[in-house]
Amino acid sequence: MLKITELSVNYKSKKKLIKALGPININIAAGEIYALIGPSGCGKSSLLHVLSGVIKDYQGQILMKGEKLNPKLHNIGFIPQNFGLLPWKNVKKNCILALKIKGKTIDNSVQERIDYIMEKLDIQLLSDRYPSELSGGQKQRVSIARAFIMNPDLLLMDEPFSALDALTREEAQDLFINIWNQYKTTTVFVTHSIEEAIYMGKKIVIMSQGPGSIVQIIDNSLFNTENLRENEEFFKLSSYIRSIIKKGWKL
């Protein structure tokens, strides 16, 4: 479990202290996907940056499995909206980059995991290509593969599919859920799309206007439902979330 207690983030601007986030209190259960949705400037990305270790100056406490969250001790994967691939490395080297940074040995079991994930995401034939030679959907699959190959304790995603066209985005979402179902990686992702939050979030966390706080957490009973996008309940939940958002953003 990831336990976040009284988390706040402040920035200094012209000698003035600006509150960007919080306080945030939430327990994130192991092996589930939490979708964060809220208005621009509410601190969604700031929360991810705290969890990833990019922002170190914050107030409050974050515990992972009872220990203070530490990127040096815990495996934390991150999928940014621009894919985060190194242009001078080919697909295979980008996929194993996190393992190299962590100093992990690629033994037979790790290699089997690499091969399996690359095959499931249909990028095994792209191993020698460079990011400039890939389509947007292929880049997204490579970034997903890299995240799961490192076997993260926590996976963070910042609007991971926003740069893709509608059809490619749906395909990438399906591929992600398919591989997530096999590994059940604890995941927190930011989105501006209510539909994406419903499709991918086991829990949907609605945040207020900045400084962001949690308005409501919805337990999404539709998660992993077959043909979800065609389900009438999908549209009902979407309307319900919109009504909460309109109220919450006025807080």
Side-chain angles (χ1 to χ4, degrees):
M1 175 182 287
L2 181 67
K3 186 174 183 179
I4 301 173
T5 306
E6 293 297 307
L7 175 65
S8 295
V9 176
N10 301 310
Y11 295 108
K12 286 184 178 179
S13 177
K14 295 181 180 179
K15 299 182 180 180
K16 182 180 179 182
L17 197 64
I18 299 175
K19 191 170 185 178
L21 175 69
I24 297 290
N25 291 282
I26 186 172
N27 293 331
I28 295 175
E32 293 194 349
I33 304 179
Y34 284 66
L36 303 181
I37 188 166
S40 296
C42 75
K44 300 184 300 295
S45 293
S46 292
L47 176 56
L48 289 193
H49 291 157
V50 170
L51 296 177
S52 67
V54 173
I55 294 178
K56 298 178 175 61
D57 185 12
Y58 62 87
Q59 295 75 49
Q61 185 181 61
I62 307 173
L63 300 178
M64 183 81 176
K65 300 177 183 178
E67 298 180 321
K68 184 177 179 180
L69 186 66
N70 186 340
K72 294 181 180 180
L73 299 177
H74 301 103
N75 281 336
I76 301 176
F78 187 79
I79 300 178
Q81 55 184 298
N82 64 354
F83 313 120
L85 304 180
L86 299 183
W88 60 88
K89 290 185 178 292
N90 62 24
V91 166
K92 182 64 177 290
K93 290 181 179 179
N94 264 292
C95 283
I96 64 174
L97 179 62
L99 296 179
K100 293 290 187 180
I101 291 174
K102 287 284 187 178
K104 302 289 186 181
T105 301
I106 301 179
D107 56 21
N108 289 338
S109 63
V110 174
Q111 187 61 55
E112 287 177 4
R113 181 185 180 92
I114 294 170
D115 294 340
Y116 176 76
I117 290 173
M118 291 185 71
E119 182 179 355
K120 290 295 289 184
L121 291 170
D122 196 24
I123 58 173
Q124 71 276 26
L125 298 181
L126 305 177
S127 293
D128 295 327
R129 292 193 191 180
Y130 288 83
S132 62
E133 302 172 304
L134 304 176
S135 68
Q138 289 170 334
K139 291 177 183 177
Q140 184 59 71
R141 281 182 270 161
V142 174
S143 68
I144 292 172
R146 180 175 61 190
F148 280 99
I149 283 171
M150 72 176 294
N151 194 22
D153 301 306
L154 176 64
L155 176 57
L156 308 172
M157 304 194 294
D158 192 358
E159 297 189 65
F161 309 109
S162 63
L164 306 176
D165 63 77
L167 291 177
T168 307
R169 182 167 59 246
E170 289 187 1
E171 178 187 13
Q173 290 169 351
D174 291 340
L175 285 168
F176 177 86
I177 291 297
N178 181 36
I179 198 164
W180 179 88
N181 273 319
Q182 297 175 60
Y183 294 103
K184 294 294 192 294
T185 302
T186 305
T187 302
V188 179
F189 83 95
V190 164
T191 180
H192 275 101
S193 167
I194 293 174
E195 288 72 24
E196 184 170 82
I198 296 173
Y199 189 75
M200 293 186 60
K202 181 69 172 66
K203 306 281 186 179
I204 301 171
V205 182
I206 301 174
M207 296 180 66
S208 69
Q209 289 182 330
S213 60
I214 295 175
V215 175
Q216 186 171 338
I217 301 175
I218 296 175
D219 191 353
N220 182 12
S221 61
L222 299 179
F223 179 73
N224 256 347
T225 301
E226 190 174 353
N227 299 320
L228 175 57
R229 295 185 181 95
E230 303 169 10
N231 192 318
E232 183 179 348
E233 295 301 315
F234 179 90
F235 299 102
K236 288 182 180 179
L237 181 56
S238 177
S239 296
Y240 174 66
I241 292 174
R242 279 187 171 84
S243 68
I244 297 174
I245 285 174
K246 288 178 181 178
K247 294 176 184 177
W249 289 6
K250 295 177 183 177
L251 292 179

